[in-house]
């Protein structure tokens, strides 16, 4: 074979290989980045020599870690009154063969080493084996018994970061895999449990983790809104970020079952099923072809399970009563807890209120066998008018946690709300991704390259961009430079070519309008009951006292604010302002969300490009 033919064949093979990676993982940017980065920048893995002894070593480490955490908490009997749930969930509904087939087909292929039949085979042969699986699932639901084979997990240690020491066990994260059919059974239970929780309003309103229509962005949007409105009144605001150490692994089974019965209202067969779900669970560690001996899972919600996240959120339910007692605002995302309040004066009683609240939280956490990660506890004071030295004196022992900027659910928040550090982080990481993509550009077809740029760059630019409302023009321009660079890389445009026609041909809206779109999209969702209640509380439809022509214009009440850099940027103020300026045919939210998006984008596209080209 000639050299030219070899090079051509190699290029075709690389193109096919990369296209397949992009097509398979375009919906999951994190996985796509990991795979694509390993292909573009291959580096040899430095792994320990696999052996049964190493598996046992990891097993003992994972078990001892949680045992030591639990042993650090004194056995305290909590005599606090428990609010008993008036609703009750006694019996699961049996599922049909059609419903089971839909669940299995929508579940992504994931196999545990303990699976006797791969998930792909189960899907392909469902018409034959489906009735047997249905019998097993319904028998479990009706009897309240979980098959023992469904309660065995296989844990694989994975290094947290490639740069960490591979010989230190603490640098590894346990990745748990459960049998495929156990996830199907949990999915059936989860759907019925979620229906019960939502129907009876048992979810914590300010818990955004692992819930439909909730996200890190909705959580941050509410917290950021409240902080901006507090500082708009001229008062400083304080935000405390709390993190729990290995919280999912440390939750106590007896406490959780009591909570499910008394606070959530699970009774009868349903409660029996959850008791069986936790009883005699086990896991073993695998490295390469070797396994450790099984170990009982005596505490914690099962990692890698479908039910684990919602069970943990129910475990934390009583925590909200502490914040209500001290009149302190809070928001949770899984085990990340945010506490915030206004300060009428830095040395005034609200600060003591916060410290008392933190003391009670720490006590409750200890009583429930959880541990606050002191190293990750951070305190930030917004719009403070007191020197750092004075703040250190006021906060006392907690002063070591004071900082001028915090990373909150992936967004860097600073004490002056500038978000300049956040923008710098986005710009830096985006240009790094563009350099990675450029290395493989010659092997990637245009359509796949566009998918790759959207997965790596657009997702970064759009993540929590609703917080960028009212951002300084210079910072918006930095973000716009990233989008311009991505457009040039995709189209091959030269550096000094006008970028406006390039963005127009790609149908990419500029950064400023993408921010407006995100805020308006949340507004549309709120008005159509598609957003969290804590965001819906921020908007109010306009209803004049007497009949006016504006009565049927679908307008929102526009709250007043004092400061352009504070109150005007809050969602409760910015959203009505943007919404009320829309043409009526776009505000008419009777149409579907897809149609609404198309109407808005078409209108803005004409304003941005057609009138300028």
């Amino acid at each position: 074979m000639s050299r030219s033919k070899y090079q051509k064949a190699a290029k075709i093979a690389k193109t096919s290989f990369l296209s397949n990676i992009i097509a398979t993982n375009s919906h999951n940017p994190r996985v796509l980045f990991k795979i694509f980065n390993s292909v573009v920048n291959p580096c040899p893995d430095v792994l320990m020599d696999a052996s049964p002894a190493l598996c046992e070593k990891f097993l003992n480490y994972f078990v001892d870690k949680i045992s030591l955490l639990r042993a650090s908490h004194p056995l305290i009997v909590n005599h606090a009154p428990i609010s008993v749930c008036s609703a009750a969930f006694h019996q699961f509904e049996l599922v049909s063969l059609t419903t089971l087939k839909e669940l299995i087909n929508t579940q992504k292929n994931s196999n545990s080493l303990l699976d006797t039949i791969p998930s792909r085979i189960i899907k392909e042969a469902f018409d034959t084996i489906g009735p047997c699986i249905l019998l097993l699932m319904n028998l479990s639901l009706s009897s309240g018994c979980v098959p023992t084979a469904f309660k065995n997990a296989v844990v694989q240690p994975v290094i947290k970061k490639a740069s960490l020491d591979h010989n230190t066990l603490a640098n590894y994260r346990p990745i748990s895999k459960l049998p495929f059919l156990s996830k199907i059974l949990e999915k059936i239970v989860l759907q019925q449990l979620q229906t019960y929780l939502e129907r009876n309003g048992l979810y914590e309103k300010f818990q955004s983790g692992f819930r439909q229509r909730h996200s890190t962005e909705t959580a941050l949007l509410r917290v950021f809104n409240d902080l901006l409105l507090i500082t708009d009144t001229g008062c400083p605001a304080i935000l405390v970020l709390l993190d729990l150490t290995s919280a999912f692994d440390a939750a106590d089974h007896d406490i959780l079952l009591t909570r499910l019965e008394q606070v959530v209202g699970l009774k009868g067969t349903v409660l029996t099923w959850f008791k069986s779900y936790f009883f005699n669970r086990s896991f073993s560690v695998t490295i390469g072809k070797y396994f450790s001996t099984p170990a009982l899972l005596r505490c914690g919600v099962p990692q890698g399970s479908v039910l684990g996240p919602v069970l943990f959120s129910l475990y934390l339910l009583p925590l909200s009563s502490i914040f209500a007692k001290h009149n302190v605002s809070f928001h949770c995302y899984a085990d990340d807890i945010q506490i915030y309040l206004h300060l009428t004066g830095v040395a005034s009683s609200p600060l003591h209120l916060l410290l008392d609240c933190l003391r009670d939280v720490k006590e409750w956490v200890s009583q429930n066998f959880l541990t606050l990660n002191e190293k990750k506890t951070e305190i930030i004071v917004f719009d403070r008018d007191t020197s750092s030295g004075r703040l250190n004196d006021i906060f006392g022992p907690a002063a070591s946690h004071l900082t001028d900027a915090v990373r909150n659910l992936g967004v860097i928040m600073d004490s002056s709300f500038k978000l300049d550090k956040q923008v710098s982080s986005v710009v830096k990481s985006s240009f790094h991704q563009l350099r990675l993509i450029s290395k493989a550009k010659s092997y990637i077809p245009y359509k796949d390259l566009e998918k790759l740029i959207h997965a790596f760059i657009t997702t970064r630019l759009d993540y929590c961009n609703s917080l960028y409302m009212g951002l300084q023009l210079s910072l918006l321009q930095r973000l716009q430079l990233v989008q311009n660079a991505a457009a040039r890389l995709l189209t091959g445009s030269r550096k000094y070519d006008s970028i406006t026609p390039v963005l127009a041909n790609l149908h990419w809206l500029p950064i400023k309008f993408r921010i407006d779109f995100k805020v308006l999209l949340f507004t549309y969702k709120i008005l159509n009951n598609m957003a969290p209640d804590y965001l819906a509380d921020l908007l109010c439809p306009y209803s004049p006292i007497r009949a006016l022509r504006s009565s049927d214009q679908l307008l929102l009440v526009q709250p007043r604010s004092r400061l352009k850099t504070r109150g005007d940027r809050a969602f409760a103020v910015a959203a009505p302002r943007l919404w009320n300026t829309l043409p009526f045919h776009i505000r008419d939210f009777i149409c579907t969300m897809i149609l609404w998006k198309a109407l808005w984008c078409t209108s803005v596209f004409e304003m941005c490009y057609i009138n300028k080209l």
Side-chain angles (χ1 to χ4, degrees):
M1 180 185 291
S2 65
R3 182 177 179 180
S4 61
K5 289 183 178 180
Y6 169 78
Q7 290 177 337
K8 184 177 180 180
K11 184 174 181 178
I12 293 173
K14 287 181 179 179
T15 299
S16 176
F17 177 69
L18 291 174
S19 294
N20 183 56
I21 290 176
I22 295 168
T24 305
N25 301 285
S26 59
H27 64 286
N28 194 333
R30 180 176 296 182
V31 174
L32 181 59
F33 167 73
K34 183 177 180 181
I35 298 175
F36 186 78
N37 186 50
S38 65
V39 172
V40 176
N41 287 327
C43 58
D45 291 331
V46 183
L47 300 175
M48 297 182 182
D49 293 329
S51 66
L54 183 61
C55 293
E56 293 292 338
K57 194 174 180 181
F58 269 108
L59 180 78
N60 293 330
Y61 170 75
F62 293 141
V63 171
D64 293 344
K65 178 184 176 182
I66 302 302
S67 298
L68 289 173
L69 280 177
R70 288 175 60 85
S72 65
H73 300 292
L75 293 176
I76 301 175
V77 179
N78 187 3
H79 297 288
I82 299 175
S83 57
V84 179
C85 179
S86 58
F89 186 14
H90 291 274
Q91 182 69 51
F92 290 116
E93 294 181 6
L94 303 185
V95 294
S96 65
L97 190 63
T98 303
T99 302
L100 179 62
K101 184 175 183 179
E102 290 176 356
L103 277 175
I104 289 178
N105 287 335
T106 54
Q107 189 79 9
K108 69 177 183 178
N109 290 332
S110 60
N111 297 305
S112 165
L113 293 175
L114 299 178
D115 275 321
T116 54
I117 305 177
S119 56
R120 179 179 59 83
I121 302 299
I122 291 177
K123 292 180 179 180
E124 293 176 356
F126 184 82
D127 291 340
T128 302
I129 64 176
C132 296
I133 298 175
L134 179 67
L135 179 63
L136 178 64
M137 299 296 169
N138 283 337
L139 187 59
S140 174
L141 296 175
S142 60
S143 66
C145 179
V146 180
T148 302
F150 286 7
K151 297 189 283 187
N152 300 323
V154 175
V155 171
Q156 182 179 4
V158 175
I159 193 75
K160 295 177 181 177
K161 291 183 180 179
S163 58
L164 296 175
D165 183 4
H166 287 63
N167 294 314
T168 303
L169 300 186
N171 292 336
Y172 286 81
R173 177 182 292 109
I175 303 299
S176 178
K177 293 185 178 180
L178 289 164
F180 178 75
L181 288 181
S182 74
K183 293 185 177 181
I184 299 301
L185 177 60
E186 289 190 40
K187 189 72 175 178
I188 295 171
V189 171
L190 177 65
Q191 288 183 346
Q192 298 189 32
L193 178 62
Q194 285 179 327
T195 301
Y196 167 75
L197 294 174
E198 290 174 358
R199 184 188 301 127
N200 294 281
L202 296 174
Y203 272 120
E204 168 53 51
K205 180 179 181 179
F206 295 105
Q207 169 63 268
S208 295
F210 311 104
R211 292 180 61 186
Q212 288 184 343
R213 304 188 300 273
H214 294 64
S215 66
T216 54
E217 183 161 10
T218 61
L220 286 174
L221 189 58
R222 176 58 196 254
V223 173
F224 205 65
N225 171 87
D226 293 350
L227 293 172
L228 285 169
L229 292 180
I230 290 172
T231 54
D232 188 65
T233 64
C235 297
I238 184 170
L239 172 68
V240 182
L241 302 184
L242 303 176
D243 181 75
L244 301 174
T245 301
S246 301
F248 280 68
D249 296 324
D252 185 82
H253 288 172
D254 291 335
I255 293 176
L256 178 54
L257 287 170
T258 301
R259 206 145 286 163
L260 291 176
E261 180 180 9
Q262 298 182 353
V263 181
V264 181
L266 304 191
K267 310 289 183 183
T269 308
V270 174
L271 183 62
T272 302
W273 189 94
F274 276 101
K275 289 179 178 179
S276 174
Y277 177 78
F278 285 113
F279 177 72
N280 210 27
R281 295 196 75 94
S282 65
F283 75 100
S284 56
V285 175
T286 177
I287 304 175
K289 63 180 180 180
Y290 300 104
F291 280 85
S292 71
T293 55
L296 286 178
L297 195 67
R298 302 185 184 278
C299 60
V301 295
Q303 295 279 17
S305 65
V306 176
L307 284 167
V310 69
L311 289 175
F312 182 77
S313 68
L314 296 176
Y315 190 78
L316 294 183
L317 276 179
L319 193 57
S320 61
S321 62
I322 296 177
F323 301 124
K325 170 187 171 183
H326 294 280
N327 196 27
V328 172
S329 300
F330 77 100
H331 208 111
C332 298
Y333 191 90
D335 57 345
D336 291 316
I337 305 170
Q338 307 179 52
I339 307 171
Y340 57 98
L341 76 165
H342 72 280
L343 300 176
T344 53
V346 176
S348 64
S349 58
L351 183 58
H352 299 293
L353 193 69
L354 174 64
L355 296 178
D356 290 342
C357 177
L358 289 175
R359 185 193 64 247
D360 288 351
V361 168
K362 192 171 183 178
E363 181 180 338
W364 183 91
V365 163
S366 180
Q367 290 173 353
N368 287 269
F369 294 98
L370 301 176
T371 305
L372 279 178
N373 189 338
E374 297 288 346
K375 293 181 180 179
K376 291 186 178 181
T377 297
E378 295 179 294
I379 302 174
I380 182 170
V381 181
F382 296 91
D383 282 2
R384 68 188 190 199
D385 53 3
T386 307
S387 65
S388 299
R390 175 63 176 151
L391 280 177
N392 291 337
D393 293 338
I394 293 171
F395 278 89
S400 59
H401 302 297
L402 282 170
T403 181
D404 289 327
V406 295
R407 183 177 289 276
N408 188 3
L409 299 179
V411 173
I412 303 175
M413 301 171 65
D414 56 273
S415 58
S416 57
F417 296 105
K418 290 181 179 178
L419 296 183
D420 52 340
K421 293 182 176 63
Q422 166 65 12
V423 170
S424 295
S425 175
V426 171
V427 170
K428 181 180 178 180
S429 62
S430 296
F431 276 119
H432 173 70
Q433 304 304 326
L434 286 174
R435 286 191 290 271
L436 282 181
I437 295 172
S438 65
K439 290 182 179 181
K441 180 185 176 183
S442 58
Y443 303 110
I444 306 176
Y446 179 87
K447 288 191 175 297
D448 291 331
L449 182 61
E450 187 174 17
K451 290 179 183 178
L452 201 61
I453 287 175
H454 283 313
F456 281 15
I457 309 303
T458 307
T459 53
R460 279 178 165 78
L461 294 174
D462 287 348
Y463 178 67
C464 290
N465 63 342
S466 57
L467 307 184
Y468 298 165
M469 177 62 63
L471 214 58
Q472 291 179 6
L473 204 58
S474 59
L475 295 177
L476 291 179
Q477 183 59 31
R478 293 185 64 191
L479 295 172
Q480 187 60 54
L481 289 175
V482 173
Q483 189 187 49
N484 294 351
R488 295 186 194 280
L489 177 64
L490 176 60
T491 60
S493 303
R494 292 179 298 181
K495 182 177 180 180
Y496 296 105
D497 289 344
S498 175
I499 196 62
T500 302
V502 176
L503 294 176
N505 290 333
L506 292 173
H507 288 263
W508 289 5
L509 290 176
I511 294 298
K512 179 184 181 305
F513 292 97
R514 298 184 75 87
I515 295 170
D516 290 349
F517 171 72
K518 182 67 75 66
V519 173
L520 287 169
L521 182 60
F522 276 126
T523 307
Y524 173 89
K525 289 181 177 181
I526 290 170
L527 297 174
N528 284 272
N529 300 317
M530 299 164 62
D533 290 340
Y534 57 74
L535 286 185
D537 293 342
L538 302 178
L539 301 183
C540 180
Y542 175 66
S543 300
I545 299 176
R546 54 194 178 89
L548 298 173
R549 284 184 296 177
S550 59
S551 302
D552 58 352
Q553 293 299 302
L554 305 177
L555 300 174
L556 296 174
V557 174
Q558 175 70 57
R560 294 183 178 181
S561 61
R562 291 177 59 247
L563 303 173
K564 185 176 181 180
T565 59
R566 296 295 182 267
D568 280 6
R569 293 175 58 188
F571 179 79
V573 178
R577 183 177 66 246
L578 287 175
W579 183 262
N580 291 347
T581 58
L582 291 176
F584 177 74
H585 72 280
I586 298 179
R587 289 202 306 271
D588 185 5
F589 49 83
I590 297 176
C591 60
T592 64
M593 186 166 66
I594 295 176
L595 180 57
W596 183 88
K597 286 181 180 180
L599 286 171
W600 188 88
C601 289
T602 301
S603 174
V604 174
F605 186 82
E606 292 175 353
M607 180 176 62
C608 288
Y609 298 123
I610 294 179
N611 297 331
K612 295 182 180 180
L613 295 177

